[in-house]
Amino acid sequence: LMREAIYHTLLQSQRRSLHLEAAQVIQQAVGDPVTDSLGAIAYHLEQGGSPLAKSYLFRVATRAATQYANQEAIDCYRRLAAQTDEDTRVHDAIDIALGLGELYTRTNQFDLARAGLDKADQLAQRASAGGHRLGDICYRRGLLHANLGEYEEAVGRFRQAGEVLRQTPEHCRDFSISD
């Protein structure tokens, strides 16, 4: 409680400076950021207004997603989505929307999953992003339909993903039609 009171007496510029300093101290203390320190570094960079925060947040989100820490991953992806602006690379914006779509499917939040995948699809169409991203969108839509019990639609999406991914095999080392 005392810490909160002191924190709120600082000017915002002072807070940002202290957060950036904290991130730097953590980075120096651990050298190459290990998974346990990524979240703390991302938090301090984000609070400090550093552009590096996005890359750390993305690393935390993907790590959390692979460990099935779904809520942590969703929180990170939401924070990333809130920071998306015209300077954000379109492929990064697609990856954020795909990440949210996958996590919402995994957590049975199907309306949110559909919205995330729709956004990824719109971004991909607008940017003419083909290849593995479009295949990934189709594949994840297939998973969504399968979870909803819409098996014919799911099979159609999986086939569509296979066709798209066959056109760019150099980007698809980990995908096989059995997926």
Side-chain angles (χ1 to χ4, degrees):
L1 196 56
M2 184 69 126
R3 187 179 86 179
E4 287 277 323
I6 293 170
Y7 181 80
H8 288 294
T9 64
L10 296 172
L11 296 174
Q12 188 162 3
S13 61
Q14 290 173 312
R15 280 188 249 162
R16 284 187 174 173
S17 178
L18 288 172
H19 279 293
L20 293 174
E21 207 172 307
Q24 188 176 28
V25 167
I26 295 167
Q27 286 173 318
Q28 289 172 347
V30 297
D32 184 34
V34 292
T35 56
D36 293 341
S37 63
L38 283 175
I41 295 169
Y43 170 78
H44 288 296
L45 289 173
E46 186 179 19
Q47 294 300 308
S50 172
L52 293 175
K54 289 179 184 179
S55 67
Y56 277 90
L57 268 175
F58 191 79
R59 289 170 63 187
V60 173
T62 54
R63 176 190 53 104
T66 59
Q67 295 177 344
Y68 290 89
N70 297 326
Q71 194 55 54
E72 179 185 358
I74 288 171
D75 291 342
C76 288
Y77 277 121
R78 282 181 178 164
R79 287 162 48 198
L80 279 165
Q83 294 179 31
T84 301
D85 57 21
E86 64 275 352
D87 292 332
T88 303
R89 290 178 357 140
V90 70
H91 296 297
D92 293 340
I94 292 169
D95 290 343
I96 293 166
L98 272 171
L100 281 169
E102 176 185 359
L103 288 159
Y104 287 138
T105 298
R106 190 185 294 173
T107 57
N108 298 327
Q109 298 177 68
F110 299 124
D111 290 337
L112 292 172
R114 190 179 310 271
L117 294 173
D118 286 347
K119 181 171 184 169
D121 200 16
Q122 290 167 0
L123 289 166
Q125 298 298 332
R126 198 173 333 138
S128 300
H132 68 286
R133 280 192 173 78
L134 192 53
D136 202 10
I137 293 167
C138 294
Y139 177 75
R140 292 180 197 282
R141 283 187 182 277
L143 291 175
L144 174 62
H145 288 294
N147 279 297
L148 291 169
E150 301 166 352
Y151 301 115
E152 287 183 37
E153 183 69 25
V155 168
R157 292 295 185 160
F158 290 139
R159 284 190 176 130
Q160 186 180 12
E163 289 303 315
V164 169
L165 295 172
R166 273 191 209 95
Q167 294 171 13
T168 56
E170 67 277 5
H171 295 292
C172 308
R173 289 186 299 268
D174 298 329
F175 179 82
S176 71
I177 200 62
S178 64
D179 288 341

